[in-house]
Each structure stands twice: as C-alpha cells, then as structure tokens.
Amino acid sequence: MAKAEVKELLEAGVHFGHLTRKWDPNMAPYVYMERNGIHIINLYKTAAKIDEAGQALSKIAASGRKILFVATKKQAKDIVAEKAGNINMPYITERWPGGMLTNFVTIRKAVKKMAAIDRMKKDGTFNSLSKKERLQVDRQRAKLEKNLGSISDMTRLPAALFVIDIKREHIAIKEAQKLNIPIFAMVDTNSDPRQVDYVIPANDDASKSIEKVLSHVADAISGGLAERKAEKDASKSDDAPKAKAATKKKATAEEEE
C-alpha cells in the first residue's frame, strides 16, 4: 500500500474541518489551527492515521473476513458503492436498517427472501402468480435490493465497520459498539473520536476528500486480499507434489499386490 502523502491530502481538501463553534473539543489533538472561523485538520496526523488504519484493514482482509462500509450521505454514497464494490466488500449506502448488526439473523432472513424470489423467477413459479401478485413481489424485490442488495454475500457479522460521518451514522456506531466490532472512520472536527477505534481525522463532507481517503483504504484492503490469494495459491502448489507422490505410492502398492 502506498503511504498517504500530505500534499495529495491537501490538494483534495482533506484538511478543511467545520466552523469552530461546531467543533467537538475531543478533536483538539487533530486540529492544526483555526482559519477564518474554520478548524484546519493536521494532515500529518491524518496521513499517519490512514497508514495505521490501512495496515489493520489489510490484516482483516488477509484473514478472509468482511469489512462493512457505511455511508448514507449524498457526497459519499456513489464513491463508497464503487470502492467497496471493486474490492468485493459489503456496503450500506441507503438508510441504515435498524438491527443490521444486533439483529443480524432477521436481516439475513430478508436477504434470503430476495434469493427465494430470484429462484421463483428461474423455476417458473413466478409466472404462475396473478398479475397483481407478480407486481407486489417485484416491488418487494426492488425494495430489498435497494436496501440490502450490497450485503447479500455477507453471511456472518462483519469483522469491522468503516464509517463516513459518525454523527450521521450514530445508530450503526452504537450497534457495532454493543457487539465489540472494531470501528474505522473518517472523523471530522464536529465529531467525538472516542467512539471510534481507528480514527482518520478528515473532511467527511467533500467528495474529493472522501474519494482520496477511500482510495488509500481500498488499496490497503486490496493488498490484504492479494496476500490471502498468494498464500492460498502457494498452499495449493505445495500440496500438488504431495498429492502426486501419494498417488504414485498407491499405484506402486497396487502393482505389488
């Protein structure tokens, strides 16, 4: 993973915080200065925190576990859907479904319902329904797809959450805290960093800033996934000669009999 550079973060506007009157005092360690009534984030600390979070996320990805991305604000939705989708990680960009984590069994039932509808369409059962019933099922499927389609492959609780704007996603934060799921997040100057395990102090309102931070995060996860694949491939190649030797041994034994 390429290290985050202060210059690129500066160019993306990652340093712009909120109005000074809206700040959370717990963000003081990450604030560099005040300019024109706005807090400026210390980008040296941001770069270090991106690298720290990246290393931890890479390890999670290398272990084969999932990282759930959460961002329902307009500026972040499309970026998160693209970046998380590219690395095959689940994401929530519509309204956070209450109980998404704390009542995961129910959420999984809803995802299975979506799969059941798809099977109905494949095996022809769907066509045997009345026009009105087909319309209702289609609407239900579309609603499920919109809210839960991006987590359809998430068969168990995620190993971590990556959140953009912890004030907005406070329900997701609370659920993760309750289950001791590690939280990674872009945290702006108006938020309390104590709610997060891996804080990335950054402007969470501008799409350029979100894009820049997420690019580094996605690269780190991608590196972890590549490491996992390499280990699997190496394991397979190590097993191949053993399997060949075992087959040869068996064939020799059979000939001797």
Side-chain angles (χ1 to χ4, degrees):
M1 166 187 157
K3 281 189 174 292
E5 299 291 339
V6 169
K7 188 184 175 186
E8 58 168 331
L9 299 176
L10 186 69
E11 287 171 353
V14 177
H15 59 298
F16 290 119
H18 279 263
L19 292 168
T20 51
R21 61 185 168 83
K22 289 187 174 181
W23 86 312
D24 188 304
N26 292 299
M27 278 298 286
Y30 305 110
V31 172
Y32 175 64
M33 65 180 287
E34 177 199 328
R35 188 194 296 159
N36 301 326
I38 292 173
H39 274 130
I40 302 299
I41 294 165
N42 186 331
L43 291 182
Y44 287 97
K45 292 195 174 181
T46 302
K49 288 293 187 181
I50 288 173
D51 294 340
E52 183 188 323
Q55 286 172 19
L57 288 165
S58 179
K59 283 179 185 174
I60 292 170
S63 72
R65 292 171 296 166
K66 295 288 186 182
I67 297 142
L68 176 62
F69 285 76
V70 186
T72 60
K73 70 197 303 179
K74 189 181 175 184
Q75 307 94 301
K77 287 167 77 164
D78 292 344
I79 299 167
V80 166
E82 181 196 342
K83 300 288 184 189
N86 287 344
I87 51 176
N88 199 28
M89 288 294 165
Y91 57 90
I92 295 288
T93 53
E94 297 301 323
R95 183 183 64 83
W96 175 264
M100 168 76 215
L101 302 175
T102 51
N103 198 8
F104 188 65
V105 174
T106 304
I107 296 295
R108 279 302 301 163
K109 281 179 184 173
V111 172
K112 284 177 181 174
K113 176 69 180 172
M114 199 161 60
I117 293 170
D118 290 343
R119 281 197 299 274
M120 281 172 64
K121 290 190 173 186
K122 278 183 181 176
D123 64 20
T125 313
F126 182 76
N127 295 326
S128 65
L129 301 174
S130 68
K131 189 178 179 181
K132 186 181 178 182
E133 285 171 330
R134 286 202 302 271
L135 192 62
Q136 286 173 338
V137 169
D138 273 336
R139 280 179 184 158
Q140 186 183 20
R141 175 69 177 78
K143 189 178 178 182
L144 287 167
E145 176 64 42
K146 185 181 179 183
N147 293 322
L148 304 172
S150 58
I151 62 154
S152 55
D153 293 333
M154 198 171 79
T155 54
R156 58 177 175 161
L157 283 169
L161 247 63
F162 191 98
V163 181
I164 292 165
D165 195 338
I166 62 172
K167 277 179 89 77
R168 184 184 177 96
E169 314 301 346
H170 63 278
I171 299 171
I173 295 289
K174 279 190 170 62
E175 288 193 30
Q177 287 171 338
K178 196 171 181 181
L179 297 171
N180 293 319
I181 294 172
I183 302 164
F184 295 73
M186 286 179 69
V187 184
D188 214 327
T189 57
N190 67 333
S191 303
D192 184 356
R194 294 175 303 175
Q195 298 179 55
V196 176
D197 300 285
Y198 290 85
V199 177
I200 299 176
N203 174 358
D204 65 10
D205 291 310
S207 54
K208 274 181 79 176
S209 172
I210 295 165
E211 163 91 38
K212 179 56 66 180
V213 172
L214 278 184
S215 291
H216 280 286
V217 166
D219 283 350
I221 294 170
S222 185
L225 293 171
E227 189 183 315
R228 179 174 170 77
K229 187 178 183 299
E231 282 178 4
K232 276 188 169 181
D233 291 346
S235 178
K236 280 180 186 175
S237 60
D238 286 346
D239 289 343
K242 290 177 188 174
K244 197 174 179 181
T247 307
K248 191 176 179 183
K249 190 177 179 182
K250 188 181 176 185
T252 306
E254 285 172 355
E255 282 174 14
E256 287 173 354
E257 283 175 10

